[in-house]
Structures are given as structure tokens and as C-alpha cells.
Amino acid sequence: MAGHSAIYAAKSSNHKGSKAQYYPMNHEISSQYNPQRDKYSPLNLPIRTQGGYWDIIRELESKSSGNSKAAVTKATGVVRLPLCAASPAFIHPVFFPLDPFHLFYENCMAYMWDLWTILSPENDPVHLDRITAQTLGEYVVGGMKSLPPAFCGPVRDPFLKRQSQYKIYEWMALLHWYIIPIGIELQFNTNVLQTFALFVDAVEFAMTIKPCSIADLKKLSDMIAEFLKQYEKTYVGSNPEKISRARLCIFQLIHVPQHIKWHGSIRLGSQATVERNIGVEERLIRSKKAPFANMANNIFQRELVKLLCLCYPFLDSMFFKVASVHQRGNQQDFKDGYSIFGEALAFYQLEAPIQSIVVVYHPLTDIEDMLGYPRGKQWASQIAVLSVEQIIDIVGIWTCPTSGHVYILRKHPGLAFLQADEAGKENNQEGGKQELEDPDDFE
């Protein structure tokens, strides 16, 4: 494919950009740059096909000059036949799944942060002034005291550390946990927050591993289409000069439901697995004389262990660590069918009338939904008791230093796909251990 600089850069569809790198759905704002561009519906895009792809390849091969081939590339977005076409499994565009970790977090999330802070003028409604951005960064760092270490490592200040190799788990934390709660308290632009909430909902829906029906994929398509509509309305509006904000990475989100239909979970397309294995294999190579043979033996031994574990499952137990239990939990009242949240004080084992374990806790009061985030006013002064069998999971919290509002931070689905070092759990980037608020709240 021609890549980001092409008019037809999307792998999965023949959607024509307004100009190179920019792909708005609104036809009116792109007419200044590309008046011949067709009108597109995000729910009815012209998807590329295998037959159409091979027709383009044959047309390219029939051209003898570089200029004529460049003209075909400009009109189609296809440069040449890739080496991977030799694979019997090659089907275009199904062969090229989207990479969710780069697309969602390191592309879209990072780009939106840059739009808010450095790529927008001070008088733009989406702009975050220096003081607000600095306060947000300080709130993120302060929130580490009440984020369970089982979730991830310390998240650095994005205002100060954005250009210092900000990690993927840190972008995840901003997207899933901190932008909306802190944005509400710092009174971000309402349209910006509501649009970002649509983005968060779509990402969490796509990243959660669960069976998806056609109706579920239709729901996800509608969510992303609504996000694209609101994104362009908020960030571009009717100003063609802002068309650069309709980046290809934002447009690519519309193809996520189609890739789930083709491949299953969107997480299967992650390059993180490939990159992780490359790093693992590189560290395991010890032979300078025959590195490839050494690598092949390492891979063979690892796969042999996997096969043994399949035949003898009890061997697999040695490869897992038992997760520690933390005392801040998301608790479910099954009787009434609604979630309650509590800060555990102690656990007790009862011997009579039946043997059981209970938790004594302070419940969170006056819980309300804020753009999908449960928010309470304070921890109740009274003590409640609940059977530990009704605890669903641990949660983190973020407490606003000014209002005292308590936001619940649930463990998001992206973390389950990261290794301990990728989630920053092994070492604090600043060289110390993560400090925890109220150590008695954790075991």
C-alpha cells in the first residue's frame, strides 16, 4: 500500500481522502481540497476486495514507465505486490489485521493529547491551557497512591513526560481511567469530554474478549460512526483549515468491527506479541557462530514445553503466580442487582453458624454515573459487612483533591494482554517503589 501519504491510504476500503493523510467523513469541509471526492457513509464504505486488488496489480505490471505506475498508485493506493502474497493464506485486505495497541493508544490517544496541548491555538475550544494541562498531570501522578499495583506500574505526568517515551500502559491509563474523571473536575470543554467518552466506550467494547454477534458488531459500528461524527463536529467543524485533524488513524477506527468479523478478537492483530517475541528471542540467543540455529532450538524447546503442558496440565501450574488480594474491592449486591463499592477495613473468618469469610468495609455513598464512570461523594462513616463470595474484583479510585469526589477505576481489558514489564510492574521509572496511600488498605 502507498501508506499515509496517499489519497487512498486505507487498507480495508477505497475511501478517498480529501488530501494526503486526511480522511474526514464530512463531504462539505473537504470540497475545497478535493471537489471530485464522493460522499461516503461511515456505515457503507466501499470495502476493498481480493478481485479488485489483483486487477490493480495486473494494471501495475502492465505499465512500463515509472510515471504511469505512479499514476495507478495515486488512483488506487496500491504500490506493488508484497512478498507476503506468496503465502497461501494471502487474501486482501483480510491478510492485514489492525493493530489495536498502536491504533487505539499510541496513535489515536497520543494524537488527541497533542491536539489538546500543542497542536491547537489557545483560543480553540479543544485547547488545554498550560495550567490546566499541568494540573491534570499532577492529578495523574497523585492518583497513583490509590491505584492497585496489580493493575500497572506508576503512570508518569503526561504534561512533563509526553516526549520521554511515554509507555503504552500509560496511554491506556489516561484513556481508560484519568482523562474523563479529571476532565470533569477541571471543567474541560463539554463537547470534548462527551466525544472522548464515545471513543473510550468503543475501545473498551472492542478490546473486551467476549463472543460478538452480528448485532454486537452493528452496535460497535454505530458507536464508532457516532464518535467520528462528533469528533469532526468538535475538532474540525466547518473550517476546512482544520481538516488536518481528520487523521487516517482516527478514520481507521471505522474498520474495527469489520476486522473483528474477519479475525475474531481485535487483540489478535496486535504487533505487541510479535515485538515481544522478537525481544525474547534476541535475549535468548547465545551463539555468535550459529545464531539462527540457536534461535530455532530455543523456539523448538519452548513449543515442546507448551505441548507437554497440553498433555499434562498439572505441569502448567509452575508457570503461574498467585495474585495477591487487595482490600479495596468492587462489590456486587446480587440481591438487588446493582453494584456497590467499598473500602475494606478487615477480613474475618466465621466458624458459626457456618464457616465463612466476611469483609468489614466502608461503602461509597451517593454514587452517580459520570460519562460511564461511577462517582461517589464520600466513604460512609458507618460500617457494613459482606461475604467475600460477593466481591467481584479489586478497583482503583481517584479522589479529586478539591471537591473530594471519588471516581471508581475498573481494571480495563487492555492490561490483560501485557506482560509485567510492559505494564510497568517490575520497576518504577523514577527508580523507587510505588507509594501507596493508607498501607493498611492493602495486603
Side-chain angles (χ1 to χ4, degrees), residues 156-295:
R156 295 173 295 168
D157 184 339
F159 178 74
L160 298 177
K161 301 295 184 179
R162 160 67 179 97
Q163 304 300 333
S164 300
Q165 296 184 338
Y166 213 63
K167 306 297 184 182
I168 188 170
Y169 80 88
E170 295 175 302
W171 289 122
M172 288 179 172
L174 293 183
L175 190 156
H176 293 284
W177 292 331
Y178 292 112
I179 291 297
I180 291 181
I182 296 177
I184 292 173
E185 297 298 328
L186 295 181
Q187 299 181 348
F188 279 20
N189 180 284
T190 302
N191 292 331
V192 170
L193 274 183
Q194 291 177 343
T195 301
F196 189 76
L198 292 172
F199 175 59
V200 173
D201 289 343
V203 171
E204 291 195 349
F205 189 103
M207 290 292 289
T208 301
I209 294 184
K210 64 178 181 179
C212 279
S213 64
I214 296 299
D216 292 330
L217 295 179
K218 175 64 167 58
K219 178 181 177 181
L220 178 59
S221 296
D222 292 341
M223 292 168 59
I224 296 176
E226 180 63 21
F227 163 71
L228 292 177
K229 176 182 175 181
Q230 296 303 323
Y231 176 87
E232 290 187 17
K233 181 179 178 181
T234 302
Y235 290 86
V236 182
S238 58
N239 187 355
E241 295 182 0
K242 295 182 179 180
I243 202 172
S244 61
R245 298 177 178 182
R247 290 283 181 92
L248 179 61
C249 63
I250 302 294
F251 167 72
Q252 286 281 30
L253 295 172
I254 199 63
H255 296 305
V256 168
Q258 185 66 49
H259 280 253
I260 293 177
K261 184 178 180 180
W262 285 340
H263 303 287
S265 172
I266 193 67
R267 303 193 328 184
L268 295 177
S270 172
Q271 292 182 12
T273 304
V274 178
E275 294 171 355
R276 180 190 307 141
N277 285 336
I278 291 174
V280 170
E281 297 302 331
E282 182 181 11
R283 289 193 294 269
L284 291 177
I285 294 175
R286 296 290 182 267
S287 173
K288 295 183 179 180
K289 180 180 179 181
F292 293 104
N294 189 182
M295 181 175 66

Side-chain angles (χ1 to χ4, degrees), residues 68-79:
S68 59
K69 290 184 177 181
V72 175
T73 297
K74 182 178 180 180
T76 63
V78 180
V79 178

Side-chain angles (χ1 to χ4, degrees), residues 303-316 319:
E303 294 304 315
L304 184 61
V305 170
K306 290 182 180 179
L307 291 175
L308 285 172
C309 291
L310 289 175
C311 295
Y312 306 99
F314 65 88
L315 293 176
D316 201 29
F319 299 104

